[in-house]
Amino acid sequence: MPRVLRLSSLPEWPHPFDAAAELDWSDPAISRRLLAEHLDQSHDGASRRETEVDRHVRRLRRLLPDPPAAVLDAGCGPGLYAVRLAELGYRVDGVDVGPAVIRHARGRARRAGVAGSARFRVADLRSLPVSPRYDAILLIYYILENLPRRSQVAALRRLGRLLRPGGRLIAELRLRPDQLPGRISAWEVASSSLLGDGRQLLLSDSVYDRARNLFILREIAVFEGGEVAVQQTTSRLTAYREVPGLFAAAGLRVARTHDGWTPHPGSPLCDSLLVVAEATSGPSGRRAAAPRPRPSG
Ligand SMILES: C[S@@+](CC[C@H](N)C(=O)[O-])C[C@H]1O[C@@H](n2cnc3c(N)ncnc32)[C@H](O)[C@@H]1O
């Protein structure tokens, strides 16, 4: 549960990756509340709306090897992508730290009749065992951003080891904050939030540290009884010029980048990129076979 704190201990400017405040995706109560946000079709806060996911899956079908390739959806949330891919014939493993989203993903796979080919488990993508291995790994909706740079490299390196020779990692990367740089503050009276149920004054602010390319979104709830709770998510964004180096540091080679979910090439002007990267060597140090590029881009 979010820690209840004294107002005097609340920093005026949030500290990046503050362990005392950073959203704990693995907390059962948070995961339960987040699940409702993932499934809410009125916004794209935690997962995209279903129509958007459908569009993305059509795009992924062009970027992935053909079914029945083995795919790992790392940070799969409620399995919106994984179950659709299993319906297309892929063998998909979904991992996420959130227990409620994984329970939902399993139920979703059962209802879709693909429980045998879409399997889900609670696991941290930073500490997955090096087997089984996959033809493709997905990091969808800004999974890497929630880690400091050094942990991003470590996570990518670990995931890269799970790729079969010729396999590819497809990662969505955010290049700029989804709000204007500067400080934005807002408030509302809510009956519940990620911070808890019950009437509360919900204050939010977002700050962008241009020098370190960090974006922090923070929520502070003041409950009717006077308790104060806080949660924030820090995003370490990636400048376009950093992209090849980030993946190279993890033993991966960027094969191409796209402007978000479009087929157009990525550029420094994009808000987000879909990066297609390949392992530069197999687990024994052998050079990986180069994948055949798809003409469609
Ligand atoms: C913004 S959601 C995206 C979910 C899903 N990819 C989608 O687009 O529907 C981010 C997800 O990453 C998960 N997550 C965050 N850190 C993780 C970690 N270290 N290991 C596994 N999952 C993680 C969260 O629990 C959450 O479900």
Side-chain angles (χ1 to χ4, degrees), residues 25 38 46-47 73 75-78 80-81 95-98 101 123-126 140-141 143:
W25 304 87
H38 281 288
S47 285
D73 186 355
C76 63
L80 305 181
Y81 292 79
V95 297
D96 199 289
V97 286
V101 292
D124 192 314
L125 64 89
R126 293 169 294 182
I140 297 177
Y141 217 12
I143 310 288

Side-chain angles (χ1 to χ4, degrees), residues 222-236:
V222 182
F223 292 93
E224 207 136 39
E227 304 91 355
V228 178
V230 63
Q231 67 88 7
Q232 67 180 43
T233 46
T234 306
S235 300
R236 168 61 163 98

Side-chain angles (χ1 to χ4, degrees), residues 84-103:
R84 282 168 169 81
L85 290 171
E87 287 176 309
L88 293 177
Y90 290 98
R91 292 166 292 134
V92 190
D93 283 347
V95 297
D96 199 289
V97 286
V101 292
I102 288 294
R103 265 196 310 279

Side-chain angles (χ1 to χ4, degrees), residues 100-160:
V101 292
I102 288 294
R103 265 196 310 279
H104 176 91
R106 287 186 184 132
R108 179 175 279 263
R110 261 196 314 277
R111 289 190 293 280
V114 293
S117 53
R119 296 170 309 171
F120 297 94
R121 68 181 195 281
V122 176
D124 192 314
L125 64 89
R126 293 169 294 182
S127 51
L128 293 175
V130 287
S131 156
R133 292 169 65 206
Y134 297 93
D135 301 303
I137 297 178
L138 304 176
L139 286 166
I140 297 177
Y141 217 12
Y142 316 125
I143 310 288
L144 277 186
E145 277 74 2
N146 290 319
L147 303 172
R149 177 59 97 220
R150 199 177 303 165
S151 308
Q152 292 181 353
V153 172
L156 281 175
R157 186 177 300 126
R158 193 160 187 110
L159 291 173

